[in-house]
Amino acid sequence: FVAGKKKDRDGVKRIHGLNLRQASSHRRQMHRENGLRRRRDMLNKRRRIAPTSEEKKTANGESGNHDEGTIKDYIQMANDAIQKFKKAVEEASAESQQQQLNALKTIVYMLSREDMDPEMIIDAIINAGMVKNLISLLESRNTTSSELQMQAAWCLTNIASGTHAQTELVLPACPAFIQALSGNNRKLKEHAVWALGNIAGDSDEFRNSVIQMGGFAALAKIIDDSANMELVRTGCWTLSNMLKGRDPSAARREFYKIGNAYYMKRFFQLLDSKQLQQQQQQKEVVLQIEGVIVEVVWCLTYLTSRDEPGCGAIIKAGFADRIAKLMHKDTKTSILIPCNNNLILVFSGIIRP
């Protein structure tokens, strides 16, 4: 016999105590879990980049075009803006809000550059004691500038994309972020959803905090906004961060308790492949819908991972059939991967070797 392999009394080959059938199933399970782990590692957090020319112009702030210069120059520019912001906060004059806004625009731009590691700038913000000022701006009802609150939220969102210790400093802003989800400021909502996703994606502890503060109920309003599919996509990504982790059982219980009926109905609507066929002439809309589909399927995947009742519920609700219809020769890989993972998890959960 080969070392490590044995035969039981019935002549069935065994590997490390498992018969070949069980070992094969075990390998498949480990492969699926490794895939989910890689997905978590890659997408748990996202830094908010200025994606449009309008937002880049807004982020450039008082200093104009920052595209030229060395990293040392950028860091010095950010440090100067941090000092200007702190000085404006201390002065509390009639002009101080505009000064704070100008300084924040520069800081946000530096945090949002794709070609820069923001960690040094985040550390400078933290060392200056600026995080508490940003949270105060977000919570304040006295500020006359909604743009000032939006820039503060953007800054906090990117701080929350950093290390565990950096994210922890943003945790007290969660109630304000959750409250913003029911407000009328669209841009503030976008930053709030993104920030909550970064915080929930950091650790089980922070994820549970977001859930206990009412995260699931608040996000229901976000993914119902059919007029803003990019916001729906970010909302679904945040949901996926709230449904995963080393021990997602508590999160699942809260999800089923608070929003199961609504979310399942909405997920079913969002996975309608006809949406893609109807929007073929609008590439931007198609990309947004594809992004939503990817995040919804990942949500369903985390709900079914290691959860036999969840697998049965997914099949009973008709999701397996709907996901299967998304898989054809023209489907993009970004959609095929979560769809494939989901169906494997669903059927491995209800079919025992």
Side-chain angles (χ1 to χ4, degrees):
F1 294 105
V2 178
K5 293 186 179 180
K6 297 180 180 179
K7 278 192 177 183
D8 64 13
R9 294 176 63 181
D10 298 323
V12 178
K13 286 186 179 180
R14 292 185 174 274
I15 301 176
H16 303 299
L18 299 173
N19 66 42
L20 290 182
R21 206 171 169 194
Q22 291 171 327
S24 176
S25 175
H26 179 70
R27 283 196 301 271
R28 289 196 300 271
Q29 179 68 21
M30 291 301 296
H31 177 73
R32 290 191 294 272
E33 290 180 3
N34 287 336
L36 293 176
R37 193 175 297 112
R38 286 194 295 271
R39 155 80 180 181
R40 287 197 296 267
D41 292 342
M42 287 190 302
L43 296 180
N44 272 4
K45 292 189 174 186
R46 295 175 178 173
R47 185 157 54 109
R48 188 85 203 260
I49 306 300
T52 66
S53 57
E54 179 186 353
E55 286 182 313
K56 285 180 180 178
K57 183 178 178 181
T58 299
N60 281 346
E62 62 179 349
S63 301
N65 189 353
H66 300 316
D67 287 340
E68 296 181 2
T70 64
I71 292 178
K72 186 177 179 181
D73 293 334
Y74 292 140
I75 293 172
Q76 184 58 51
M77 200 177 297
N79 283 328
D80 290 344
I82 289 169
Q83 294 308 314
K84 287 179 181 178
F85 176 84
K86 291 294 291 184
K87 184 179 178 181
V89 169
E90 291 170 3
E91 286 179 358
S93 64
E95 298 178 352
S96 66
Q97 282 199 3
Q98 186 59 48
Q99 292 167 355
Q100 289 175 49
L101 179 59
N102 291 339
L104 270 183
K105 285 180 177 179
T106 299
I107 295 166
V108 164
Y109 177 77
M110 297 305 172
L111 285 172
S112 305
R113 287 184 64 97
E114 282 188 282
D115 58 348
M116 280 189 65
D117 183 348
E119 191 161 341
M120 292 182 69
I121 298 173
I122 291 175
D123 284 339
I125 291 170
I126 291 169
N127 292 335
M130 188 174 156
V131 175
K132 288 184 178 179
N133 300 130
L134 295 171
I135 294 175
S136 294
L137 280 175
L138 190 64
E139 294 173 335
S140 176
R141 295 183 180 180
N142 298 323
T143 179
T144 57
S145 173
S146 59
E147 188 179 1
L148 183 58
Q149 285 188 313
M150 191 270 287
Q151 293 291 334
W154 193 339
C155 195
L156 288 168
T157 298
N158 282 0
I159 294 172
S161 73
T163 65
H164 177 77
Q166 291 168 345
T167 305
E168 187 172 17
L169 294 173
V170 185
L171 195 60
C174 283
F177 282 133
I178 289 172
Q179 186 177 8
L181 299 187
S182 59
N184 297 319
N185 188 324
R186 181 181 62 84
K187 288 188 177 180
L188 187 58
K189 281 185 186 180
E190 291 173 359
H191 291 297
V193 173
W194 206 307
L196 290 169
N198 280 340
I199 294 167
D202 181 271
S203 64
D204 285 4
E205 176 191 356
F206 292 174
R207 177 204 64 198
N208 291 340
S209 294
V210 172
I211 291 171
Q212 288 165 8
M213 292 178 197
F216 279 133
L219 283 169
K221 299 174 184 177
I222 295 300
I223 71 166
D224 197 36
D225 186 0
S226 299
N228 189 346
M229 293 305 287
E230 190 59 39
L231 182 60
V232 172
R233 176 185 181 178
T234 307
C236 290
W237 167 73
T238 298
L239 273 173
S240 74
N241 272 359
M242 291 165 64
L243 290 169
K244 63 190 175 188
R246 289 185 179 89
D247 181 15
S249 55
R252 284 175 181 160
R253 283 196 301 271
E254 197 67 16
F255 173 84
Y256 288 130
K257 175 180 157 185
I258 291 178
N260 178 44
Y262 168 76
Y263 277 122
M264 288 306 186
K265 181 180 178 181
R266 184 60 176 147
F267 284 168
F268 200 76
Q269 293 170 346
L270 292 171
L271 288 182
D272 186 358
S273 57
K274 293 178 181 178
Q275 293 181 92
L276 293 173
Q277 299 168 5
Q278 293 168 353
Q279 301 289 347
Q280 285 302 315
Q281 304 304 316
Q282 302 183 52
K283 290 186 178 180
E284 186 176 346
V285 176
V286 168
L287 288 174
Q288 290 175 351
I289 294 173
E290 288 174 345
V292 169
I293 288 172
V294 167
E295 299 302 341
V296 168
V297 178
W298 278 118
C299 284
L300 294 170
T301 299
Y302 296 130
L303 281 170
T304 53
S305 179
R306 293 186 177 185
D307 185 34
E308 198 169 334
C311 295
I314 292 297
I315 291 179
K316 186 177 180 181
F319 281 105
D321 180 61
R322 183 146 286 197
I323 290 171
K325 286 181 180 178
L326 292 168
M327 302 173 71
H328 49 77
K329 64 182 180 67
D330 297 322
T331 304
K332 289 186 176 180
T333 305
S334 60
I335 296 177
L336 282 174
I337 290 174
C339 287
N340 184 60
N341 282 351
N342 182 267
L343 292 180
I344 291 173
L345 281 170
V346 166
F347 290 109
S348 65
I350 62 168
I351 301 174
R352 293 300 180 189

